[in-house]
Amino acid sequence: GHIVRNWKVRWFVLLQDKLLYYKIEGGKKEPSPKGRILLDGCTITCPCLEYENRPLLIKLKTKTNTDYFLECCSREERDSWALDITGAIHAGHPVQVQELHKMKNSFKLLENISLHHIVERMCDNSTGIKLTRNLEQGNRYKETFTGSALVDWLISNSFAVSRFEAVTLASMLMEENFIKPVGARSTEATRYSDLSEQFLDDSTALYMFAESSNKNISSKEELQFNISELSGTILKQGFLVKQGHKRKNWKVRRFVLRADPAFLHYYDPTKEENRPVGGFSLRGCLVSALEDNGVPAGVKGNVQGNLFKIITKNDIHYYIQASSKAERTQWIEAIKPLT
């Protein structure tokens, strides 16, 4: 925001010469844009490292020296937006546009590869990545693999054609919590602001499969498992910002509140498939607003306020940010009767 420096979810539409953004109400964008960014004379910075706790930023500076900071939901979305916006800025320069299209068309990784499919192949007993015991600084780690071994495996299995592409893909696997760093060498690298530097193509950097990624269950089985809880009547839906359980980062999610049975599911708005990435039963839950004067225990990162917490009957804590106090109150009032 320009007046109040808070962060709000907006729906963006890229046109030939401008970027329009719309407010989201009830999960739908309003008909008229909230504002626009004229691209003529703009400069773009990506990745933008001005906010330490927000590594997924794009910065746009207009020719009138107005700065816009745009935060994306994932690294791949950030890079895709940055490429397309850069193309629009340079639309009047055919040579630069041609180079951009070459760059985009030569890198098919994000569009053509399913991360779930890669992890399934990685876990294959005969053709998957070899898990070994490794020793680092006196500590012994079981069932790990090195960064360079994963890069080699991705290339040899035709998921990437270069080490650069393989590192990018491995970074995506780590960002989406399919794999995680273990040991001092790889863990230290995650402290970089630039996500492109967090995964190491190195024979001394150790990684392992994340505990949460049980790849013995296929997507079809997951869908059958969730079919009953997805059959409830939708009472409310909209975009909120949720803190992750593992990496404690904040991501925009589309939340859907259902009754009979009472469930709250959340979806990744960057994915085309309409399947939740998480959810839980509301029976026995506690929901409450958190005060804005200080960051509560269990919350990390840059918290802008309008925070509320849901505690499940299994004592799992979910921290969620709304875009305004009114929206927070609406969600709390909608959830409470179902607990």
Side-chain angles (χ1 to χ4, degrees), residues 304-330:
Q304 300 296 323
N306 307 314
L307 193 68
F308 64 100
K309 178 171 69 172
I310 301 174
I311 306 176
T312 70
K313 64 180 181 181
N314 297 324
D315 199 34
I316 298 174
H317 294 227
Y318 290 85
Y319 294 98
I320 303 167
Q321 292 187 63
S323 61
S324 66
K325 287 186 177 180
E327 184 182 45
R328 177 177 66 180
T329 301
Q330 291 169 9

Side-chain angles (χ1 to χ4, degrees), residues 39-234:
L39 297 177
D40 180 38
C42 262
T43 57
I44 183 170
T45 304
C46 178
C48 171
L49 307 179
E50 293 189 26
Y51 288 82
E52 182 180 354
N53 294 317
R54 294 181 180 271
L56 301 179
L57 285 185
I58 296 171
K59 178 182 177 181
L60 290 176
K61 181 184 282 290
T62 68
K63 65 180 181 181
T64 58
N65 290 323
T66 301
D67 290 338
Y68 290 88
F69 294 93
L70 315 178
E71 182 174 34
C72 300
C73 298
S74 64
R75 176 190 168 169
E76 53 265 42
E77 184 186 54
R78 179 198 68 185
D79 294 346
S80 177
W81 270 100
L83 191 64
D84 289 336
I85 292 171
T86 303
I89 291 173
H90 297 304
H93 306 279
V95 175
Q96 288 175 307
V97 173
Q98 189 177 10
E99 289 300 315
L100 284 166
H101 281 300
K102 271 187 194 176
M103 188 195 314
K104 190 172 185 179
N105 293 331
S106 67
F107 195 65
K108 300 289 187 182
L109 188 64
L110 305 179
E111 298 176 3
N112 297 344
I113 292 181
S114 162
L115 296 183
H116 288 276
H117 173 63
I118 292 174
V119 175
E120 286 176 0
R121 289 278 301 276
M122 287 174 65
C123 294
D124 188 278
N125 290 330
S126 56
T127 61
I129 190 165
K130 186 179 180 181
L131 302 179
T132 60
R133 292 183 178 182
N134 284 282
L135 188 68
E136 184 193 61
Q137 296 182 357
N139 295 316
R140 190 177 297 278
Y141 300 97
K142 296 180 180 180
E143 296 189 328
T144 60
F145 47 87
T146 66
S148 57
L150 177 54
V151 169
D152 292 341
W153 185 90
L154 291 170
I155 294 173
S156 64
N157 284 270
S158 302
F159 289 117
V161 297
S162 68
R163 300 195 80 80
F164 169 75
E165 287 191 6
V167 169
T168 303
L169 181 51
S171 300
M172 292 163 58
L173 291 170
M174 189 167 66
E175 184 184 357
E176 295 302 324
N177 202 39
F178 288 107
I179 64 174
K180 65 180 182 180
V182 290
R185 180 83 172 89
S186 58
T187 303
E188 178 69 24
T190 62
R191 296 176 184 174
Y192 287 110
S193 296
D194 186 355
L195 287 173
S196 65
E197 300 177 16
Q198 290 193 357
F199 180 86
L200 298 178
D201 179 6
D202 193 305
S203 60
T204 63
L206 302 181
Y207 300 88
M208 68 185 300
F209 290 111
E211 295 175 358
S212 63
S213 55
N214 180 5
K215 301 308 160 192
N216 296 322
I217 303 174
S218 69
S219 299
K220 187 175 181 181
E221 289 170 333
E222 286 177 343
L223 188 60
Q224 291 173 344
F225 177 78
N226 291 324
I227 195 78
S228 61
E229 62 191 64
L230 295 172
S231 62
T233 303
I234 295 178

